[in-house]
Structure formats: C-alpha cells, structure tokens
Amino acid sequence: MYCSVAQARSAGCTGTDPEVTAWIEAATERITAYTRQAFEPLSMVVVGDVTPGGLVLLPRRVRSVSSVTPLTDGADDAPSLPPSAYRVTSSDVLGQIDAVHLTWGGWDDLIAGAESWAGGWGSLLGEHEQVRVEGEFGTASVPPVVVQACALLAAHIQAQAAPSDADAAQDPTLDVDDEGNNVRIEHTDGPSATPVAASASTGSTQVDALLAGHLNHGPSLIGGV
C-alpha cells in the first residue's frame, strides 16, 4: 500500500482499521493504473517486444531480473536464457532506461538452437518477437507525493461510496455505518494477480495533479500488475 492507515485518517478517511485499509488498497490500485508505475518493490512478470537490435523495453522500473524467456508460438516456451545472454539496465541509475539488452554474441552448446555452430544466441533469439521477463519491479520506497496522493484518494473514494439516506432506505442490503458510509468492502490480502488496466484519471483532479510528475509514458503493460 502507498500510505498508512494513520495517513489516510489524517486525510479524512474514517472507519475501522480494516475498512480504512480497504480504501487505501482501492486508492493504490487506481494510482497504479493511472501512473503505470509500481511505487514499492513488487515481484511480477512482464512481456516485452524484442527490437531488431535485441533491446526489450520494460513497462515498469526494474530492480532485478530472475529470468528471461523467449516466447514461442507453440505450446512450450523456449528455455530461459542464462544471465550471460542478457544485461539489465534500470532507470534507478540516472541516464539509464528500464530494459533488457539481449546479447547477440555468445553461445551455449547445451541449448538447442544456441550452439556455436548454429549461430549462438543471435540465431535462437532471431526467431522470437517477444520475451517474458520475471523479476522485481518498482521503486525502493514510496515517494512522499505518492503517499499524500494515496491518502487523499482513499478519503475521496470513501466519500464517493457513501450512499444517501434515500439510497440506504431503498437498498436494505447496504451495510451502512453511523456516518452513512457503505462499509461492505471486499478485502483480500496481498497484491492482486489480475493486471491493472491503464486509466485516464484516478477520479480526483487534485490527485491527478499531484501525480503528474510520476506518470510512466513508456511501453504499455502487457503482463503483470
């Protein structure tokens, strides 16, 4: 989550700790969809296109890569590449980009298609247009502006979800507290395994303005969160 329960309460969120946590998680998901960034270390799988020069741009800030696997048209994927077959750069380093750079030189005589007599990695990778990258993505810590945005958005989402007295009277299934908030919130532990779709807004113009400097205009997310 991008802010604490106490920070969300300071921004106007109310309810029990589990209820406030649910609003924070909803705000975190919206911020992730809007910025197309991960503001905390998160293990995920992404898919990237391979350029003719072997460059694979990644849709999130990369911290480490555990495996790179060429995608095939068949039922089985090709073997994962050894670390010697690629190098990783991260925007954590000023002037660098988030990418996997495939090595066209070199070979591995134990992997079919990558043998020295078959053209090495260049021959194997030349048949694939995409690779699947597994690793850890996101920033080391949540930027202060994102913390503030998450707290404000959690309170904003809660306020939007509060039904009027007329709504509550018409729908007896609403679970409404003394302040008129609908507190029936589905809550699950841990990050969602479902990819978060890109969004044009968080739903709050104030929060959108706070996050303007953190928008990711890189390649679209294909897999992961």
Side-chain angles (χ1 to χ4, degrees):
M1 299 188 301
Y2 294 158
C3 73
S4 68
V5 169
Q7 289 165 330
R9 288 189 189 281
S10 296
C13 221
T14 61
T16 65
D17 284 358
E19 290 166 2
V20 174
T21 297
W23 296 121
I24 294 173
E25 289 181 343
T28 296
E29 184 171 310
R30 285 198 191 183
I31 290 172
T32 298
Y34 177 61
T35 61
R36 293 168 59 194
Q37 296 271 26
F39 294 107
E40 55 190 359
L42 185 66
S43 294
M44 66 175 81
V45 177
V46 301
V47 173
D49 294 330
V50 182
T51 69
L55 177 67
V56 182
L57 295 176
L58 301 174
R60 294 289 188 274
R61 175 172 293 186
V62 62
R63 304 190 57 77
S64 63
V65 169
S66 57
S67 72
V68 177
T69 307
L71 296 181
T72 66
D73 294 332
D76 297 324
D77 290 335
S80 295
L81 304 177
S84 59
Y86 60 87
R87 64 184 178 90
V88 180
T89 58
S90 172
S91 59
D92 263 341
V93 178
L94 185 64
Q96 290 284 17
I97 59 174
D98 296 301
V100 169
H101 306 257
L102 302 177
T103 304
W104 294 101
W107 62 86
D108 189 332
D109 289 341
L110 299 179
I111 295 181
E115 302 94 342
S116 56
W117 61 84
W121 295 117
S123 174
L124 179 64
L125 294 170
E127 303 174 3
H128 303 285
E129 297 180 351
Q130 293 184 321
V131 295
R132 185 179 68 234
V133 180
E134 297 184 39
E136 186 178 74
F137 297 79
T139 59
S141 59
V142 185
V145 169
V146 177
V147 172
Q148 181 183 6
C150 185
L152 290 171
L153 187 57
H156 175 79
I157 295 173
Q158 183 184 35
Q160 282 190 319
S164 66
D165 293 339
D167 291 335
Q170 292 175 6
D171 188 354
T173 64
L174 287 174
D175 190 359
V176 182
D177 62 16
D178 293 337
E179 298 177 353
N181 299 313
N182 179 18
V183 297
R184 181 168 297 174
I185 307 165
E186 293 186 3
H187 173 69
T188 56
D189 295 329
S192 171
T194 303
V196 178
S199 173
S201 172
T202 62
S204 165
T205 55
Q206 180 185 16
V207 173
D208 289 352
L210 284 173
L211 297 173
H214 291 279
L215 299 181
N216 179 4
H217 299 291
S220 299
L221 178 65
I222 299 177
V225 178

